[in-house]
Amino acid sequence: MTLTRREFAKLSALGLAARFAPSLFAQPAERQTGYAIIGLGRIAAIFMSGVRASTNSKVTALVSGHRDKALRIAADYGVPESSIYSYEDFDKIVANKAVDAVYVALPNSMHAEYAIRAAKAGKHVICEKPMAISVAECERMIAACKSAGVKLMIAYRCHYETTNLKAVSLIRSGAIGQLQAIETAFGFNERAGEWRLDKKLSGGGPLVDVGIYSLNAARYLTGEEPVSFAAFTSNIDHDGRFTSVEENLSWTMKFPSGIVASCATTYGGQMVGFFKVHGADGWIDANPAFNYDGLHLRAEYSGTVIDEPNPARNPYQFTTQAEHFSNCIQNNLEPKTPGEEGLRDMRYIAEIYRAAGISL
Ligand code: NDP
């Protein structure tokens, strides 16, 4: 990850430079964790560029249904042709010593199969969110990784992102006092024909795809687990895109302390990802909060005013995320967002859908 001195000075002002210092100034680590990328789509491209900017990780294999695309990417990343696999011959990866871990970047309904096949091949697994499309699949993924003795991390990139971390650290320091309420949303206008609109591939609509950011954020901001749920769904669209998954979903979750989170997601309109946290002594607002870059934190409490645009640029979140997982692999540490974290969200997603009258 590279930052200008000015950007680094801003991170210092945020009190976050130390967190980044090793990746900013260290020489490349002696050990580079090798990743096989499974599914060469949009997020895989960003993840790979994040890995390229890291100190301790590299792309060493590709798994794709399109060999021509894989060959182009292999040339760019210095991956040998012999380390390109199809979905059918993926299991041969067991013999590839350059691959320590796989990154699963497939449509959601394929996550469980490839995570489990990777674990059986003795490879550590970092899997995109949502972890899978059912609680049972998540449990099978965790069991497969445990029995193979490999690590499993869910790619919740906001846990490795400075604006989100700063919001959490302000809340934990007591700056805004006892939390009372959270508002959060994330959504976009999805194009017809995308696999995300087909429940067989996606497992659900905007809730599992982008609403999950609000769900997960409400949990890491409060540090609590939600105990009750209410939800409404609606299909307003008239062009036939939403025959398989919901278009809009709004839900509320109540936490044990009494904090209520009001959340919304959509595939039918532009909904910038944000959260606003209301406390007894002030508020914190991250808007945008979930984009790849350009995040912005504002807060007011006890005479303090914060107005901090985040200068870090895409793919910084993917670099810190990959560095974290590689570090866990190299030093036998538990990832901050293990499979159990993805499983918890999947259980809450099932509760939210149940409250909305939809079965997962
Ligand atoms: P894309 O459609 O861009 O890429 C998915 C890739 O999966 C395809 O390019 C293809 O790769 C492979 N694939 C295999 N079978 C199919 C199939 N039947 N239909 C479509 N693709 C298939 O998706 P995204 O990259 O946007 O999303 C992939 C995963 O990443 C999802 O789980 C999503 O939720 C998650 N995601 C996470 C984000 C984050 O910020 N953390 C952001 C965006 C997505 P090939 O041609 O090589 O076979």
Side-chain angles (χ1 to χ4, degrees):
M1 173 183 182
T2 49
L3 292 181
T4 63
R5 293 225 162 263
R6 191 153 165 260
E7 288 168 342
F8 182 71
K10 284 199 176 172
L11 274 180
S12 301
L14 287 169
L16 294 163
R19 186 183 295 278
F20 280 85
S23 64
L24 287 172
F25 299 122
Q27 296 300 310
E30 260 175 41
R31 288 168 66 194
Q32 301 273 304
T33 295
Y35 286 86
I37 311 298
I38 313 181
L40 306 179
R42 288 161 287 196
I43 200 65
I46 304 176
F47 180 86
M48 285 188 279
S49 62
V51 165
R52 174 143 55 194
S54 79
T55 57
N56 63 358
S57 315
K58 62 181 173 183
V59 176
T60 52
L62 303 172
V63 184
S64 175
H66 295 94
R67 194 167 170 85
D68 49 344
K69 175 171 59 173
L71 280 166
R72 277 199 309 277
I73 295 172
D76 187 16
Y77 279 86
V79 172
E81 268 191 53
S82 56
S83 292
I84 298 176
Y85 301 85
S86 66
Y87 297 112
E88 292 71 32
D89 70 9
F90 167 66
D91 306 287
K92 290 185 185 153
I93 210 158
V94 67
N96 192 333
K97 299 236 169 339
V99 175
D100 303 294
V102 305
Y103 168 63
V104 181
L106 294 161
N108 310 338
S109 67
M110 301 171 74
H111 289 185
E113 178 188 344
Y114 284 86
I116 292 168
R117 283 168 71 179
K120 286 185 176 154
K123 308 300 181 187
H124 303 285
V125 178
I126 174 169
C127 179
E128 265 306 337
K129 46 52 59 181
M131 180 171 174
I133 61 167
S134 71
V135 167
E137 281 190 351
C138 295
E139 288 171 341
R140 281 202 294 278
M141 290 163 74
I142 292 170
C145 290
K146 281 218 165 84
S147 88
V150 297
K151 298 192 184 295
L152 172 59
M153 170 168 148
I154 309 307
Y156 283 116
R157 58 184 166 77
C158 294
H159 287 247
Y160 309 96
E161 190 290 313
T162 46
T163 295
N164 283 266
L165 291 171
K166 170 105 187 225
V168 172
S169 115
L170 281 172
I171 290 167
R172 296 291 182 277
S173 75
I176 64 167
Q178 171 60 52
L179 303 196
Q180 302 292 334
I182 295 176
E183 299 157 67
T184 172
F186 197 17
F188 65 99
N189 201 343
E190 180 58 300
R191 283 188 309 241
E194 282 281 337
W195 61 261
R196 284 175 166 78
L197 298 177
D198 177 359
K199 194 172 179 184
K200 282 195 298 300
L201 287 167
S202 62
L207 174 61
V208 304
D209 186 28
V210 277
I212 195 171
Y213 284 88
S214 291
L215 164 60
N216 198 254
R219 292 179 49 235
Y220 57 73
L221 293 166
T222 58
E224 297 182 33
E225 299 299 331
V227 287
S228 46
F229 304 84
F232 286 103
T233 183
S234 72
N235 285 10
I236 296 170
D237 174 78
H238 298 294
D239 62 12
R241 279 178 295 165
F242 299 101
T243 54
S244 183
V245 299
E246 78 277 4
E247 180 181 18
N248 297 293
L249 204 152
S250 294
W251 78 99
T252 51
M253 301 184 286
K254 192 170 177 185
F255 292 85
S257 62
I259 304 166
V260 172
S262 309
C263 316
T265 187
T266 186
Y267 269 165
Q270 297 305 327
M271 202 179 252
V272 174
F274 82 97
F275 59 74
K276 185 157 188 178
V277 186
H278 305 271
D281 304 323
W283 54 266
I284 297 171
D285 177 34
N287 190 348
F290 310 128
N291 290 0
Y292 299 142
D293 64 11
L295 306 192
H296 199 140
L297 188 78
R298 294 180 183 82
E300 272 189 41
Y301 52 91
S302 316
T304 301
V305 176
I306 293 178
D307 187 347
E308 287 175 358
N310 188 329
R313 289 289 161 255
N314 190 31
Y316 75 106
Q317 303 174 29
F318 297 83
T319 300
T320 51
Q321 177 179 257
E323 287 183 341
H324 176 78
F325 194 47
S326 297
N327 186 43
C328 289
I329 293 168
Q330 292 171 17
N331 297 297
N332 194 23
L333 303 168
E334 181 65 3
K336 190 178 164 198
T337 52
E340 286 77 2
E341 176 71 2
L343 169 61
R344 272 181 224 114
D345 272 350
M346 193 54 59
R347 288 200 171 114
Y348 302 136
I349 283 170
E351 292 280 355
I352 294 163
Y353 275 139
R354 198 171 297 130
I358 296 172
S359 59
L360 184 62

